[in-house]
C-alpha cells in the first residue's frame, strides 16, 4: 500500500465533494423561509444541512493534507503524541491517522 497514493486519491475525492457541495444553486432556485413549507424552504433547510457536511469535509481535507506532509517528511505512521508506530490496521482503516488508538 502506497500511503501517499491512497491519501492523494482521498484528497481528490474530498475536493470534488466540496466542489459539488459548494456549487451555486441553479438559476431561478429560490431559497427562503416563508410561512408555508414549500420547495424554497426545503432547499434552504438542505443548504443549512450542507454547512455541517462542508465543515466535516474541510476537517477531513486538512487531516489528509497533514498526513501527506508526514509522508513527505518521513513521520507518517508514527503517533504524534507518543512517537510509537501506529498499527498498520489503523492506517489501513484511516490512512490520515496521526495518533495511535491510545491517543486518538
Amino acid at each position: 500500500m502506497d500511503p501517499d497514493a491512497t491519501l492523494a486519491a482521498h484528497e481528490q475525492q474530498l475536493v470534488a465533494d466540496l466542489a459539488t457541495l459548494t456549487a451555486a444553486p441553479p438559476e431561478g432556485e429560490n431559497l427562503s423561509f416563508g410561512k408555508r413549507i414549500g420547495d424554497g424552504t426545503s432547499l434552504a433547510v438542505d443548504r443549512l444541512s450542507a454547512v455541517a457536511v462542508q465543515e466535516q469535509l474541510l476537517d477531513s481535507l486538512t487531516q489528509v493534507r497533514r498526513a501527506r506532509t508526514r509522508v513527505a517528511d518521513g513521520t507518517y505512521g508514527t503517533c504524534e503524541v507518543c512517537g510509537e508506530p501506529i498499527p498498520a490496521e489503523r492506517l489501513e482503516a484511516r490512512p490520515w491517522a496521526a495518533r495511535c488508538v491510545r491517543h486518538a
Side-chain angles (χ1 to χ4, degrees), residues 58-96:
L58 287 169
D59 182 54
S60 294
L61 185 58
T62 298
Q63 290 178 42
V64 167
R65 288 179 172 163
R66 284 182 54 217
R68 292 192 73 196
T69 299
R70 289 192 308 275
V71 169
D73 71 16
T75 60
Y76 180 79
T78 303
C79 176
E80 65 184 9
V81 175
C82 67
E84 294 294 318
I86 298 171
E89 298 83 15
R90 177 160 172 78
L91 291 174
E92 188 174 320
R94 200 176 161 98
W96 52 89

Side-chain angles (χ1 to χ4, degrees), residues 12-72:
Q12 287 177 349
Q13 183 61 54
L14 289 167
V15 169
D17 291 347
L18 279 164
T20 299
L21 188 66
T22 58
E27 193 169 319
E29 232 179 51
N30 184 15
L31 298 180
S32 63
F33 288 100
K35 291 183 180 180
R36 297 185 190 143
I37 295 177
D39 290 340
T41 303
S42 295
L43 291 170
V45 170
D46 288 345
R47 287 290 181 176
L48 289 173
S49 298
V51 169
V53 173
Q54 181 183 11
E55 288 173 357
Q56 291 172 350
L57 289 173
L58 287 169
D59 182 54
S60 294
L61 185 58
T62 298
Q63 290 178 42
V64 167
R65 288 179 172 163
R66 284 182 54 217
R68 292 192 73 196
T69 299
R70 289 192 308 275
V71 169

